[in-house]
Amino acid sequence: MHYYDQHMHTHFSPDSVETFEHYLERSAGKNLITTEHLDFFSTEQASDDVIPDFDGYSAEIERLNQLYGNRILKGIEVGFTHPDKERIQKFLKDKDYDLILMSIHHNGKYGFMQLSNDDVPLENQLKEYYNLMLQGVREFKNANVLAHFDFGLRSYELSVAELRIVEPKLMEIFKEAVQQDMALELNTRSMYRYGNAHLYEYAIDLYRSVGGTLFTVSSDAHVVEDYELRFKDAFTMLREHGVDQLAVFQKQQPTFVELPQNVSAQ
Ligand SMILES: [Zn+2]
Ligand SMILES: [Zn+2]
């Protein structure tokens, strides 16, 4: 089996208008999985809950699977929050997702990407963000992948030395993830659009140091042009850090596939 991108969005997410057909054209010969947003917001945030239309999504996939040789799998990106953990599980129950990503997107007051050092000092952001992530990996045990572990830092410019302030916390998070067979995602949008590749170099080693073997490489594409965004560079980085396998998820179970040797540069 070929490795395939495992984090992308279509018009079934409110922040994308992309179509399955465009991704299908780009992914010929490979599986295709989209991971549409589920996010519950608190009343303080004046933001409507984002709940994927599962029936519409399933119907469209079923229709396209007949036309495109059953290549499409079902995925979801869950923005985990402790107050909503039961609503999240209620939504997931009885749904045949192949892949569940866990993301920490907001803290019940604001979205983490809206902030930078001018609003919240880096150290405070690091502490709050990774406390919530630790709570997430402990409480959301059926998630398959820890997505964009640096999401809350995308608006900050920080060095690995600064990220090390929370190394004990990160180790706890990764240990917990390893125990639950939760993969570490290399989010190429974070790495190369938000300039956080160096933080991923550090995270790969840290996750491996606590026994982690499950890695995914994903573009977080919201438009087809970003499909497999700079995968070649991420594969090279993994190889340089001693990783030679990636994980793909079907029916929420991981399978190892070989780290691709030759991919076209994007
Ligand atoms: Zn996300
Ligand atoms: Zn996403």
Side-chain angles (χ1 to χ4, degrees), residues 104 124-138 166 169 172-173:
I104 306 297
N124 298 13
Q125 176 89 342
L126 282 169
K127 282 187 183 141
E128 180 177 25
Y129 190 65
Y130 290 109
N131 278 336
L132 291 177
M133 192 175 286
L134 181 59
Q135 192 173 33
V137 291
R138 283 181 176 158
V166 287
K169 186 74 68 183
E172 276 186 83
I173 292 166

PDB file of all heavy atoms in Angstrom, residues 104 124-138 166 169 172-173:
ATOM      1  N   ILE A 104      -6.194  20.428  19.445  1.00  0.00           N
ATOM      2  CA  ILE A 104      -6.567  21.401  20.475  1.00  0.00           C
ATOM      3  C   ILE A 104      -6.620  22.745  19.759  1.00  0.00           C
ATOM      4  O   ILE A 104      -5.576  23.283  19.372  1.00  0.00           O
ATOM      5  CB  ILE A 104      -5.527  21.446  21.634  1.00  0.00           C
ATOM      6  CG1 ILE A 104      -5.289  20.043  22.227  1.00  0.00           C
ATOM      7  CG2 ILE A 104      -5.962  22.445  22.705  1.00  0.00           C
ATOM      8  CD1 ILE A 104      -6.484  19.394  22.883  1.00  0.00           C
ATOM      9  N   ASN A 124       3.161  31.625  29.132  1.00  0.00           N
ATOM     10  CA  ASN A 124       1.778  31.338  29.550  1.00  0.00           C
ATOM     11  C   ASN A 124       1.049  30.498  28.507  1.00  0.00           C
ATOM     12  O   ASN A 124       0.316  29.563  28.829  1.00  0.00           O
ATOM     13  CB  ASN A 124       0.982  32.634  29.738  1.00  0.00           C
ATOM     14  CG  ASN A 124       1.557  33.504  30.828  1.00  0.00           C
ATOM     15  OD1 ASN A 124       2.675  33.275  31.276  1.00  0.00           O
ATOM     16  ND2 ASN A 124       0.814  34.501  31.260  1.00  0.00           N
ATOM     17  N   GLN A 125       1.265  30.862  27.257  1.00  0.00           N
ATOM     18  CA  GLN A 125       0.622  30.127  26.158  1.00  0.00           C
ATOM     19  C   GLN A 125       1.096  28.669  26.154  1.00  0.00           C
ATOM     20  O   GLN A 125       0.297  27.747  26.028  1.00  0.00           O
ATOM     21  CB  GLN A 125       0.965  30.802  24.819  1.00  0.00           C
ATOM     22  CG  GLN A 125       0.435  30.089  23.591  1.00  0.00           C
ATOM     23  CD  GLN A 125      -0.970  30.533  23.187  1.00  0.00           C
ATOM     24  OE1 GLN A 125      -1.692  31.116  23.975  1.00  0.00           O
ATOM     25  NE2 GLN A 125      -1.346  30.247  21.959  1.00  0.00           N
ATOM     26  N   LEU A 126       2.401  28.483  26.313  1.00  0.00           N
ATOM     27  CA  LEU A 126       2.964  27.123  26.322  1.00  0.00           C
ATOM     28  C   LEU A 126       2.307  26.304  27.427  1.00  0.00           C
ATOM     29  O   LEU A 126       1.889  25.160  27.208  1.00  0.00           O
ATOM     30  CB  LEU A 126       4.472  27.168  26.569  1.00  0.00           C
ATOM     31  CG  LEU A 126       5.375  27.554  25.394  1.00  0.00           C
ATOM     32  CD1 LEU A 126       6.794  27.813  25.882  1.00  0.00           C
ATOM     33  CD2 LEU A 126       5.382  26.465  24.323  1.00  0.00           C
ATOM     34  N   LYS A 127       2.219  26.894  28.614  1.00  0.00           N
ATOM     35  CA  LYS A 127       1.673  26.145  29.748  1.00  0.00           C
ATOM     36  C   LYS A 127       0.224  25.804  29.535  1.00  0.00           C
ATOM     37  O   LYS A 127      -0.200  24.659  29.712  1.00  0.00           O
ATOM     38  CB  LYS A 127       1.852  26.945  31.046  1.00  0.00           C
ATOM     39  CG  LYS A 127       3.284  26.833  31.529  1.00  0.00           C
ATOM     40  CD  LYS A 127       3.507  27.458  32.874  1.00  0.00           C
ATOM     41  CE  LYS A 127       4.998  27.355  33.211  1.00  0.00           C
ATOM     42  NZ  LYS A 127       5.517  28.542  33.872  1.00  0.00           N
ATOM     43  N   GLU A 128      -0.560  26.778  29.138  1.00  0.00           N
ATOM     44  CA  GLU A 128      -1.986  26.516  28.977  1.00  0.00           C
ATOM     45  C   GLU A 128      -2.227  25.520  27.835  1.00  0.00           C
ATOM     46  O   GLU A 128      -2.994  24.566  27.971  1.00  0.00           O
ATOM     47  CB  GLU A 128      -2.756  27.810  28.683  1.00  0.00           C
ATOM     48  CG  GLU A 128      -4.238  27.500  28.518  1.00  0.00           C
ATOM     49  CD  GLU A 128      -5.118  28.707  28.301  1.00  0.00           C
ATOM     50  OE1 GLU A 128      -4.630  29.736  27.817  1.00  0.00           O
ATOM     51  OE2 GLU A 128      -6.321  28.604  28.619  1.00  0.00           O
ATOM     52  N   TYR A 129      -1.554  25.757  26.723  1.00  0.00           N
ATOM     53  CA  TYR A 129      -1.792  24.920  25.552  1.00  0.00           C
ATOM     54  C   TYR A 129      -1.458  23.452  25.835  1.00  0.00           C
ATOM     55  O   TYR A 129      -2.246  22.552  25.538  1.00  0.00           O
ATOM     56  CB  TYR A 129      -0.983  25.444  24.353  1.00  0.00           C
ATOM     57  CG  TYR A 129      -1.377  24.778  23.066  1.00  0.00           C
ATOM     58  CD1 TYR A 129      -2.657  24.952  22.546  1.00  0.00           C
ATOM     59  CD2 TYR A 129      -0.504  23.949  22.386  1.00  0.00           C
ATOM     60  CE1 TYR A 129      -3.055  24.325  21.381  1.00  0.00           C
ATOM     61  CE2 TYR A 129      -0.892  23.316  21.215  1.00  0.00           C
ATOM     62  CZ  TYR A 129      -2.163  23.510  20.725  1.00  0.00           C
ATOM     63  OH  TYR A 129      -2.554  22.874  19.570  1.00  0.00           O
ATOM     64  N   TYR A 130      -0.304  23.215  26.438  1.00  0.00           N
ATOM     65  CA  TYR A 130       0.090  21.812  26.645  1.00  0.00           C
ATOM     66  C   TYR A 130      -0.608  21.174  27.842  1.00  0.00           C
ATOM     67  O   TYR A 130      -0.766  19.950  27.869  1.00  0.00           O
ATOM     68  CB  TYR A 130       1.620  21.687  26.664  1.00  0.00           C
ATOM     69  CG  TYR A 130       2.146  21.930  25.260  1.00  0.00           C
ATOM     70  CD1 TYR A 130       2.849  23.082  24.932  1.00  0.00           C
ATOM     71  CD2 TYR A 130       1.830  21.034  24.229  1.00  0.00           C
ATOM     72  CE1 TYR A 130       3.258  23.324  23.624  1.00  0.00           C
ATOM     73  CE2 TYR A 130       2.234  21.277  22.921  1.00  0.00           C
ATOM     74  CZ  TYR A 130       2.942  22.418  22.624  1.00  0.00           C
ATOM     75  OH  TYR A 130       3.323  22.657  21.323  1.00  0.00           O
ATOM     76  N   ASN A 131      -1.094  21.962  28.778  1.00  0.00           N
ATOM     77  CA  ASN A 131      -1.968  21.389  29.810  1.00  0.00           C
ATOM     78  C   ASN A 131      -3.246  20.850  29.177  1.00  0.00           C
ATOM     79  O   ASN A 131      -3.712  19.757  29.507  1.00  0.00           O
ATOM     80  CB  ASN A 131      -2.331  22.433  30.870  1.00  0.00           C
ATOM     81  CG  ASN A 131      -1.230  22.569  31.918  1.00  0.00           C
ATOM     82  OD1 ASN A 131      -0.442  21.647  32.123  1.00  0.00           O
ATOM     83  ND2 ASN A 131      -1.170  23.714  32.565  1.00  0.00           N
ATOM     84  N   LEU A 132      -3.800  21.629  28.253  1.00  0.00           N
ATOM     85  CA  LEU A 132      -5.033  21.175  27.588  1.00  0.00           C
ATOM     86  C   LEU A 132      -4.759  19.955  26.714  1.00  0.00           C
ATOM     87  O   LEU A 132      -5.586  19.038  26.620  1.00  0.00           O
ATOM     88  CB  LEU A 132      -5.627  22.301  26.742  1.00  0.00           C
ATOM     89  CG  LEU A 132      -6.216  23.479  27.520  1.00  0.00           C
ATOM     90  CD1 LEU A 132      -6.707  24.562  26.576  1.00  0.00           C
ATOM     91  CD2 LEU A 132      -7.363  23.016  28.430  1.00  0.00           C
ATOM     92  N   MET A 133      -3.592  19.923  26.089  1.00  0.00           N
ATOM     93  CA  MET A 133      -3.265  18.773  25.239  1.00  0.00           C
ATOM     94  C   MET A 133      -3.086  17.510  26.083  1.00  0.00           C
ATOM     95  O   MET A 133      -3.547  16.425  25.693  1.00  0.00           O
ATOM     96  CB  MET A 133      -2.002  19.058  24.425  1.00  0.00           C
ATOM     97  CG  MET A 133      -1.778  18.047  23.320  1.00  0.00           C
ATOM     98  SD  MET A 133      -0.367  18.478  22.287  1.00  0.00           S
ATOM     99  CE  MET A 133      -1.049  19.838  21.355  1.00  0.00           C
ATOM    100  N   LEU A 134      -2.467  17.659  27.250  1.00  0.00           N
ATOM    101  CA  LEU A 134      -2.307  16.496  28.129  1.00  0.00           C
ATOM    102  C   LEU A 134      -3.678  15.977  28.580  1.00  0.00           C
ATOM    103  O   LEU A 134      -3.941  14.770  28.550  1.00  0.00           O
ATOM    104  CB  LEU A 134      -1.436  16.850  29.342  1.00  0.00           C
ATOM    105  CG  LEU A 134      -1.178  15.708  30.329  1.00  0.00           C
ATOM    106  CD1 LEU A 134      -0.498  14.522  29.649  1.00  0.00           C
ATOM    107  CD2 LEU A 134      -0.317  16.185  31.508  1.00  0.00           C
ATOM    108  N   GLN A 135      -4.536  16.893  28.930  1.00  0.00           N
ATOM    109  CA  GLN A 135      -5.898  16.506  29.302  1.00  0.00           C
ATOM    110  C   GLN A 135      -6.574  15.792  28.114  1.00  0.00           C
ATOM    111  O   GLN A 135      -7.242  14.782  28.288  1.00  0.00           O
ATOM    112  CB  GLN A 135      -6.674  17.774  29.660  1.00  0.00           C
ATOM    113  CG  GLN A 135      -7.993  17.527  30.338  1.00  0.00           C
ATOM    114  CD  GLN A 135      -8.601  18.846  30.808  1.00  0.00           C
ATOM    115  OE1 GLN A 135      -8.431  19.897  30.170  1.00  0.00           O
ATOM    116  NE2 GLN A 135      -9.304  18.780  31.917  1.00  0.00           N
ATOM    117  N   GLY A 136      -6.338  16.309  26.927  1.00  0.00           N
ATOM    118  CA  GLY A 136      -6.912  15.713  25.720  1.00  0.00           C
ATOM    119  C   GLY A 136      -6.461  14.274  25.508  1.00  0.00           C
ATOM    120  O   GLY A 136      -7.281  13.379  25.304  1.00  0.00           O
ATOM    121  N   VAL A 137      -5.157  14.028  25.564  1.00  0.00           N
ATOM    122  CA  VAL A 137      -4.688  12.656  25.301  1.00  0.00           C
ATOM    123  C   VAL A 137      -5.142  11.700  26.409  1.00  0.00           C
ATOM    124  O   VAL A 137      -5.348  10.519  26.165  1.00  0.00           O
ATOM    125  CB  VAL A 137      -3.153  12.541  25.082  1.00  0.00           C
ATOM    126  CG1 VAL A 137      -2.737  13.180  23.778  1.00  0.00           C
ATOM    127  CG2 VAL A 137      -2.359  13.106  26.227  1.00  0.00           C
ATOM    128  N   ARG A 138      -5.325  12.243  27.614  1.00  0.00           N
ATOM    129  CA  ARG A 138      -5.803  11.382  28.707  1.00  0.00           C
ATOM    130  C   ARG A 138      -7.282  11.055  28.584  1.00  0.00           C
ATOM    131  O   ARG A 138      -7.711   9.969  28.954  1.00  0.00           O
ATOM    132  CB  ARG A 138      -5.569  12.072  30.050  1.00  0.00           C
ATOM    133  CG  ARG A 138      -4.127  11.994  30.489  1.00  0.00           C
ATOM    134  CD  ARG A 138      -3.934  12.671  31.828  1.00  0.00           C
ATOM    135  NE  ARG A 138      -2.565  12.509  32.275  1.00  0.00           N
ATOM    136  CZ  ARG A 138      -1.977  13.302  33.157  1.00  0.00           C
ATOM    137  NH1 ARG A 138      -2.632  14.307  33.696  1.00  0.00           N
ATOM    138  NH2 ARG A 138      -0.731  13.075  33.506  1.00  0.00           N
ATOM    139  N   VAL A 166       8.682  23.434  28.250  1.00  0.00           N
ATOM    140  CA  VAL A 166       7.598  22.497  28.590  1.00  0.00           C
ATOM    141  C   VAL A 166       7.962  21.046  28.239  1.00  0.00           C
ATOM    142  O   VAL A 166       7.072  20.211  28.072  1.00  0.00           O
ATOM    143  CB  VAL A 166       6.259  22.889  27.916  1.00  0.00           C
ATOM    144  CG1 VAL A 166       5.659  24.112  28.593  1.00  0.00           C
ATOM    145  CG2 VAL A 166       6.424  23.110  26.418  1.00  0.00           C
ATOM    146  N   LYS A 169       6.290  18.272  30.242  1.00  0.00           N
ATOM    147  CA  LYS A 169       4.864  18.159  29.882  1.00  0.00           C
ATOM    148  C   LYS A 169       4.704  17.452  28.538  1.00  0.00           C
ATOM    149  O   LYS A 169       3.873  16.557  28.376  1.00  0.00           O
ATOM    150  CB  LYS A 169       4.272  19.566  29.821  1.00  0.00           C
ATOM    151  CG  LYS A 169       2.788  19.629  29.601  1.00  0.00           C
ATOM    152  CD  LYS A 169       1.981  19.246  30.816  1.00  0.00           C
ATOM    153  CE  LYS A 169       2.124  20.268  31.920  1.00  0.00           C
ATOM    154  NZ  LYS A 169       1.401  19.881  33.139  1.00  0.00           N
ATOM    155  N   GLU A 172       5.161  13.806  28.931  1.00  0.00           N
ATOM    156  CA  GLU A 172       3.947  13.173  29.476  1.00  0.00           C
ATOM    157  C   GLU A 172       2.907  12.970  28.382  1.00  0.00           C
ATOM    158  O   GLU A 172       2.251  11.932  28.305  1.00  0.00           O
ATOM    159  CB  GLU A 172       3.332  14.070  30.563  1.00  0.00           C
ATOM    160  CG  GLU A 172       3.912  13.930  31.937  1.00  0.00           C
ATOM    161  CD  GLU A 172       3.107  14.763  32.932  1.00  0.00           C
ATOM    162  OE1 GLU A 172       2.068  14.273  33.413  1.00  0.00           O
ATOM    163  OE2 GLU A 172       3.499  15.908  33.199  1.00  0.00           O
ATOM    164  N   ILE A 173       2.742  13.993  27.557  1.00  0.00           N
ATOM    165  CA  ILE A 173       1.761  13.913  26.459  1.00  0.00           C
ATOM    166  C   ILE A 173       2.130  12.776  25.508  1.00  0.00           C
ATOM    167  O   ILE A 173       1.295  11.936  25.158  1.00  0.00           O
ATOM    168  CB  ILE A 173       1.705  15.258  25.686  1.00  0.00           C
ATOM    169  CG1 ILE A 173       1.114  16.352  26.571  1.00  0.00           C
ATOM    170  CG2 ILE A 173       0.918  15.117  24.388  1.00  0.00           C
ATOM    171  CD1 ILE A 173       1.317  17.772  26.038  1.00  0.00           C
TER     172      ILE A 173
END
